[in-house]
Amino acid sequence: MCGIVGYIGDSNVEKVLMQGLDSLKYRGYDSAGVALYDNGNIKVFKAVGKLENLQNKLSALSDDEKRASMGIGHIRWATHGSATEVNAHPHLSMDGNIAIVHNGIIENYKELKGELEAKGYVFKSQTDTEVVAYLIGDEYKKVGNLKVAVQHIIPRLKGAYALCIMCKDEGGKIVVVRKNAPLVIGIGNGENIVASDIPAIISTTSNIVYLNDDEVAVVKKDSVEIEDLNGNKIPLNIQKMSIEMDAISKMGYKHYMLKEIYEQPNIVRNLLCGRITNVNTPISLDEVKISRDALKQLSRVQIIACGTSLHAGQIGRYLIEDLVGVATEVEPASEYIYRKNTTDKNSLVIAISQSGETADTITAVRQAREKGAYIIVITNRPDSNITRYADSILNVNAGIEVSVAATKSYTAQLLTLYLFAIYFAEVKGVSLDRLPSIKEELVSIPVKMEEVLSSDADIEKKAEALSKYQNFVYIGRGVNLPTAMEGALKLKEISYINANAYPAGELKHGPIALLDENMPVVSVLIPGHISYDKTISNCEEARARGAKLITITSSDDKELEKLFDVIIRIPVVSDMLSPLLAVIPFQLLAYHISNFLGKDVDQPRNLAKSVTVE
């Protein structure tokens, strides 16, 4: 959540900042602002709502104001205080000498605010960020050096933060620091740029420096110097980015979400490439660094994640227990970190995070590591904060996902869990007779995904008819219960329609009271599983209450047409691998319903792509 951009150089500062903020919109935001520095003055511009509102204010800048030499910008997702101009970033110190933007949360800000108020400071906003601005401003009066003031203040802050700071009295430099929040520096030619994420940098330079926790960087037009909090110099480790500009382009699609749904077959192909060379040859997963002997000795797996990643983890549990026979638990990271748990050195903890910056999941990984557990991180960002605590990193290689609602990253996480479960089973020497056929079918999945996508126009028509309903119930069993949960989540996220998912067998234990002609029931039906007939019976129970029935199925049974009002068929697939196909119609239904309702598909209200606070 939140996005930061800072720039110093000869280009149009306001334009660079706004382009950078625009590329970070996918992170979610409710207000925006920039601070421009020119000739010893800092001018702040803020607006609530879309970036266009801020741009309208900036369009009134005079020619002199457009000649700023550096600036910082921010899009905010509210944590402290509502979305107002006063609470929007940048924030100034009380004397106006310091300007700051902040991503993250300061947990002890109330205590620090009380200390400052006792000194006579008066606050304008409800934010924790303004407290940091005042603290740095107060310290600057004592030491007269912005970098040193920041180094003195940082040890007093508890929580997660990436800070980008300017000072009226020190033109020509931006000071940045981070802890448990993303921040990268782009090294240009006669210009340098700072941002929360690579999309904001890619149009300026392909050379980047990843800042580590508690490192303070002084960014000037022609140089970047990094020190630790004690003033010790840290050498620059400049890396080359490999991301192409088309990764953050819609490529002709109306929304990023639709583009990303259509990218899934190729993402699966790329993940399979080199890992399954022959169905009778053990899978190649060199990224797993734990020894085979140690892996054999593990008696327990814990999967920790949030949101969509949690649904992938729930399918991972099914796979590991079915193929490997090792007891597996799945828990939301937000619950794991606040209870006494039994993680130990015999545990394998698999943490799943698309962004790698999810605060709850990072905290959970730290706790598990302290207890001696082996840590595997499944992420779309191998350069992210969570990977610092991992023994093994499984990069899902889905590319930058711009739409807030996860689609391609979910499928990539799923496939990675399939690959790991097969690898684990081969190491343990179990389920070996089943694995060749599973591998063979996995290789065919991309083509079957494309077949599902070829029916998009038909799904769109069905979505239009369904868009009139305000409530939905989703049901599933076994490995596709999480698929139903993910389908319901997608619909909620981007259309704001109330959708709840239940185990199909639990429908009659309470939720059935909700059913009538205004409550569609959406099911997943995959022949070959023992619960197939039971799920049909559950649907018949719903029909008896007048509910409209929709199903996603690989069955060609014509009898289903007598029961269901809407049938979306997917190619024939085994029950075990069906989540890889069944989720795509759910994604398309949610997308088209949201689009028909005129919602902001890529940036749904109240949501953020990367949730960096607990």
Side-chain angles (χ1 to χ4, degrees):
M1 63 182 64
C2 302
I4 288 174
V5 181
Y7 175 79
I8 182 168
D10 293 329
S11 294
N12 184 313
V13 175
E14 171 253 329
K15 183 177 179 181
V16 173
L17 293 179
M18 291 302 293
Q19 287 177 340
L21 294 178
D22 186 72
S23 70
L24 295 176
K25 290 190 302 185
Y26 71 93
R27 298 172 70 88
Y29 72 106
D30 50 39
S31 58
V34 298
L36 303 176
Y37 180 96
D38 182 46
N39 292 325
N41 293 308
I42 294 177
K43 295 187 177 181
V44 175
F45 304 86
K46 304 181 184 183
V48 175
K50 297 298 182 183
L51 271 174
E52 289 81 358
N53 299 333
L54 177 60
Q55 186 63 69
N56 289 337
K57 288 191 173 184
L58 293 173
S59 64
L61 289 176
S62 66
D63 290 339
D64 287 341
E65 289 172 323
K66 289 181 179 179
R67 286 197 289 266
S69 58
M70 65 178 181
I72 55 178
H74 189 270
I75 51 174
R76 176 179 185 256
W77 188 85
T79 55
H80 295 89
S82 58
T84 64
E85 285 194 17
V86 172
N87 288 329
H89 298 212
H91 286 283
L92 298 173
S93 57
M94 198 166 88
D95 60 6
N97 193 37
I98 304 292
I100 182 173
V101 290
H102 167 218
N103 181 17
I105 190 167
I106 307 300
E107 295 173 357
N108 61 333
Y109 85 99
K110 289 184 179 179
E111 172 189 335
L112 298 170
K113 186 174 184 178
E115 293 178 13
L116 290 166
E117 287 175 330
K119 291 183 176 182
Y121 284 91
V122 178
F123 291 85
K124 299 176 181 178
S125 78
Q126 299 168 287
T127 69
D128 53 344
T129 304
E130 190 179 26
V131 174
V132 181
Y134 279 33
L135 278 172
I136 295 173
D138 185 68
E139 187 67 17
Y140 184 81
K141 292 175 182 177
K142 302 173 187 175
V143 300
N145 182 287
L146 180 60
K147 177 194 68 177
V148 174
V150 171
Q151 288 170 323
H152 288 180
I153 289 302
I154 289 303
R156 301 192 63 195
L157 306 181
K158 297 179 181 178
Y161 44 83
L163 304 173
C164 194
I165 310 151
M166 296 191 306
C167 177
K168 270 188 183 182
D169 297 339
E170 297 189 23
K173 70 175 67 169
I174 298 172
V175 175
V176 298
V177 61
R178 58 148 283 174
K179 185 170 185 178
N180 301 330
L183 197 67
V184 292
I185 303 172
I187 308 297
N189 183 16
E191 60 181 351
N192 289 310
I193 186 168
V194 180
S196 302
D197 205 354
I198 287 171
I201 288 177
I202 195 170
S203 62
T204 301
T205 179
S206 60
N207 298 312
I208 58 172
V209 172
Y210 291 102
L211 206 62
N212 294 313
D213 283 355
D214 292 329
E215 291 182 349
V216 178
V218 176
V219 181
K220 298 181 180 179
K221 175 180 172 182
D222 297 306
S223 68
V224 174
E225 296 179 350
I226 303 176
E227 296 181 0
D228 63 20
L229 297 183
N230 296 316
N232 300 309
K233 299 287 185 183
I234 297 171
L236 292 184
N237 178 18
I238 301 176
Q239 302 180 35
K240 197 81 171 176
M241 284 191 294
S242 59
I243 296 174
E244 302 290 338
M245 281 301 294
D246 62 7
I248 54 174
S249 166
K250 291 180 184 175
M251 302 296 287
Y253 290 92
K254 184 175 182 179
H255 296 97
Y256 284 108
M257 182 178 179
L258 188 60
K259 174 204 172 198
E260 289 157 4
I261 290 171
Y262 271 81
E263 288 176 336
Q264 291 174 115
N266 282 335
I267 289 168
V268 170
R269 282 192 181 94
N270 292 337
L271 278 172
L272 290 172
C273 184
R275 290 185 167 89
I276 299 178
T277 55
N278 185 294
V279 296
N280 295 310
T281 302
I283 200 167
S284 175
L285 208 59
D286 296 338
E287 300 95 322
V288 178
K289 302 304 180 184
I290 186 172
S291 71
R292 298 174 71 88
D293 287 340
L295 200 56
K296 288 178 183 178
Q297 298 305 312
L298 291 171
S299 58
R300 181 187 188 192
V301 176
Q302 292 176 292
I303 300 177
I304 300 169
C306 300
T308 287
S309 297
L310 185 66
H311 297 154
Q314 289 166 334
I315 293 174
R317 172 191 176 184
Y318 181 98
L319 300 173
I320 293 171
E321 291 193 336
D322 191 358
L323 293 177
V324 189
V326 173
T328 303
E329 305 166 20
V330 183
E331 188 165 12
S334 56
E335 290 296 315
Y336 178 94
I337 62 181
Y338 292 116
R339 71 170 182 85
K340 183 177 181 180
N341 56 68
T342 55
T343 305
D344 58 23
K345 63 182 181 181
N346 296 314
S347 301
L348 169 63
V349 170
I350 301 175
I352 311 174
S353 171
Q354 186 280 141
S355 68
E357 303 293 347
T358 308
D360 294 317
T361 310
I362 292 172
T363 301
V365 165
R366 284 173 160 173
Q367 292 179 0
R369 190 173 182 85
E370 288 170 0
K371 293 189 174 186
Y374 185 85
I375 310 293
I376 290 179
V377 166
I378 296 176
T379 183
N380 195 32
R381 300 300 297 270
D383 56 348
S384 59
N385 196 34
I386 198 171
T387 61
R388 301 166 191 265
Y389 310 102
D391 298 295
S392 295
I393 303 166
L394 301 185
N395 181 6
V396 304
N397 283 303
I400 291 176
E401 188 174 58
V402 176
S403 181
V404 168
T407 52
K408 65 177 182 176
S409 62
Y410 172 77
T411 303
Q413 290 170 353
L414 267 190
L415 185 65
T416 302
L417 286 163
Y418 278 97
L419 293 170
F420 175 73
I422 295 170
Y423 174 83
F424 197 0
E426 288 176 334
V427 169
K428 296 274 279 187
V430 297
S431 302
L432 297 182
D433 57 331
R434 302 167 58 193
L435 299 184
S437 62
I438 294 173
K439 292 179 191 176
E440 184 175 14
E441 189 177 14
L442 263 181
V443 173
S444 73
I445 288 295
V447 172
K448 292 181 178 181
M449 284 181 160
E450 288 168 342
E451 188 176 340
V452 177
L453 290 168
S454 70
S455 64
D456 184 19
D458 181 58
I459 294 173
E460 183 178 9
K461 290 178 183 177
K462 291 168 178 173
E464 184 174 15
L466 294 172
S467 64
K468 67 179 182 180
Y469 294 95
Q470 296 301 307
N471 300 280
F472 283 76
V473 167
Y474 285 61
I475 59 173
R477 285 179 182 259
V479 72
N480 275 310
L481 171 58
T483 306
M485 296 170 70
E486 176 61 12
L489 178 61
K490 282 293 152 287
L491 188 62
K492 278 185 284 197
E493 282 182 312
I494 64 171
S495 71
Y496 320 143
I497 290 172
N498 180 41
N500 296 296
Y502 303 96
E506 291 298 304
L507 194 62
K508 58 185 173 291
H509 297 293
I512 200 168
L514 297 170
L515 303 187
D516 60 21
E517 66 277 5
N518 296 313
M519 179 74 78
V521 174
V522 188
S523 62
V524 189
L525 280 172
I526 307 297
H529 190 270
I530 192 172
S531 65
Y532 176 76
D533 290 335
K534 296 289 187 184
T535 307
I536 291 178
S537 295
N538 298 138
C539 293
E540 288 173 336
E541 293 167 355
R543 167 64 80 200
R545 275 76 184 176
K548 186 179 183 72
L549 296 185
I550 301 101
T551 190
I552 293 170
T553 183
S554 59
S555 172
D556 60 1
D557 185 356
K558 298 299 182 182
E559 291 297 310
L560 295 180
E561 296 174 8
K562 298 177 182 178
L563 176 61
F564 291 94
D565 300 284
V566 176
I567 297 176
I568 299 174
R569 285 193 162 90
I570 61 175
V572 174
V573 63
S574 68
D575 179 68
M576 175 171 283
L577 295 182
S578 60
L580 289 164
L581 297 186
V583 73
I584 296 177
F586 280 132
Q587 294 170 345
L588 289 170
L589 275 176
Y591 169 78
H592 289 302
I593 289 173
S594 177
N595 191 35
F596 280 124
L597 294 175
K599 307 301 183 184
D600 192 341
V601 173
D602 288 327
Q603 297 169 50
R605 68 189 184 198
N606 303 332
L607 296 180
K609 185 69 177 174
S610 176
V611 183
T612 56
V613 297
E614 294 177 11

